[in-house]
Amino acid sequence: MNGAGDGGSAGAGNGTGPGGGVIAAPAPVRHRRPAAAGAAHSKVPEVTALFWVTKVLTTGMGETASDFLARVLGPAGAGAIGLVGLAGLLTLQFRSPRYSAWTYWSAIVMVSVFGTMAADVVHVIAGVPYAVSAVAFSVILTVVLVAWYRSEGTLSIHSIRTRRREGYYWATVLATFALGTAVGDLTAGSLHLGYFSSGVMFAALITLPAVWGLLLRRDAVTAFWAAYVLTRPLGASFADWMGVPAHRGGLGWGTGPVSLALTAVIALLVAFLTRGAGGPGGSRRAR
């Protein structure tokens, strides 16, 4: 994004000096528009294989952590912690002048936790079927993306250099997490596929946008957001499979231990990213 514009040039013509020599007109002055707040640096990481691995792990961790907190603290207490944590980390993310791996991925983790809570509240407390909430979250996601595109003319994550685009980006991320949670629970529970079978299905589905964007070199932006939505039910399905008891089709490892294990792996990956392996402004651009 080019934040500079040309201003008006000096209008004086050539004049004559005391000795009859010609005085050259002043060179045109080029004025730059002031950069928008937060426009100096990219606020999102480079999209690499490590990005997708970390993203899938955060979705799984958010799923099991949300279930664990809801069981220990109750829905109200867990929801309060999730909301406060999400608000605090998003505030840090928006105030950060550039991409920070720890800030960004911590915010993603809290989006994952709170997105799970939001979808569960709609289903468990409000009694809305997952099929209905999945459609509703699909509509919300579509509205956000249309508004973003009509406002900015692009949905590329490599253009996140202004406050407004950052706002659209995080609204989209929140909608994708809620949608992915509803879809994952729909296939595993309502459609009786089970967690492991759902995970395998989403693992197969996520190859489609990868083929579309990387191998066929088609619309990379559409491929990115399609894959982004699918990472949520993919990671959550396998995390649930590891955490839930055997009578629910899981391995019975417990949501608490699974959450801690995933958190440790995510922390190691983010520490690696902090060393510069996945900095902002990647070479693979989605335009």
Side-chain angles (χ1 to χ4, degrees), residues 65-93:
S66 174
D67 292 344
F68 177 77
L69 290 173
R71 188 178 73 252
V72 173
L73 302 176
I81 290 178
L83 182 58
V84 171
L86 176 64
L89 284 165
L90 282 181
T91 299
L92 289 177
Q93 170 66 23

Side-chain angles (χ1 to χ4, degrees), residues 2-9 28-33:
N2 187 356
D6 292 336
S9 60
V29 178
R30 303 175 72 87
H31 299 283
R32 292 184 179 272
R33 291 181 303 203

Side-chain angles (χ1 to χ4, degrees), residues 213-236:
L214 296 179
L215 298 183
L216 299 181
R217 300 292 183 180
R218 299 300 177 89
D219 186 356
V221 172
T222 300
F224 172 84
W225 285 115
Y228 201 93
V229 171
L230 289 170
T231 58
R232 175 57 184 176
L234 171 61

Side-chain angles (χ1 to χ4, degrees), residues 59-286:
T59 64
M61 182 269 179
E63 176 74 17
T64 53
S66 174
D67 292 344
F68 177 77
L69 290 173
R71 188 178 73 252
V72 173
L73 302 176
I81 290 178
L83 182 58
V84 171
L86 176 64
L89 284 165
L90 282 181
T91 299
L92 289 177
Q93 170 66 23
F94 275 86
R95 288 182 176 178
S96 177
R98 66 185 69 198
Y99 166 71
S100 165
W102 284 110
T103 303
Y104 175 86
W105 286 110
S106 296
I108 288 291
V109 165
M110 287 311 305
V111 169
S112 179
V113 172
F114 188 76
T116 302
M117 293 175 177
D120 287 345
V121 164
V122 170
H123 176 74
V124 177
I125 297 180
V128 178
Y130 284 123
V132 175
S133 60
V135 172
F137 287 131
S138 296
V139 172
I140 292 172
L141 176 60
T142 301
V143 169
V144 173
L145 289 173
V146 169
W148 181 359
Y149 187 80
R150 292 185 65 177
S151 172
E152 304 300 311
T154 179
L155 299 177
S156 171
I157 66 163
H158 298 290
S159 66
I160 311 301
R161 298 177 183 274
T162 67
R163 287 285 185 260
R164 183 165 59 186
R165 290 186 179 186
E166 191 175 9
Y168 280 121
Y169 173 80
W170 284 101
T172 303
V173 169
L174 280 165
T176 63
F177 271 87
L179 171 60
T181 300
V183 171
D185 288 335
L186 172 66
T187 60
S190 302
L191 299 182
H192 307 294
L193 293 182
Y195 296 114
F196 182 78
S197 296
S198 292
V200 172
M201 180 185 69
F202 289 117
L205 287 175
I206 205 170
T207 63
L208 298 179
V211 170
W212 179 263
L214 296 179
L215 298 183
L216 299 181
R217 300 292 183 180
R218 299 300 177 89
D219 186 356
V221 172
T222 300
F224 172 84
W225 285 115
Y228 201 93
V229 171
L230 289 170
T231 58
R232 175 57 184 176
L234 171 61
S237 295
F238 282 118
D240 274 334
W241 171 63
M242 290 186 287
V244 302
H247 70 269
R248 294 178 55 191
L251 297 177
W253 293 350
T255 54
V258 171
S259 299
L260 288 175
L262 291 175
T263 299
V265 177
I266 292 167
L268 289 174
L269 289 175
V270 175
F272 180 75
L273 292 170
T274 304
R275 290 164 49 189
S283 58
R284 183 171 297 156
R285 302 281 181 171

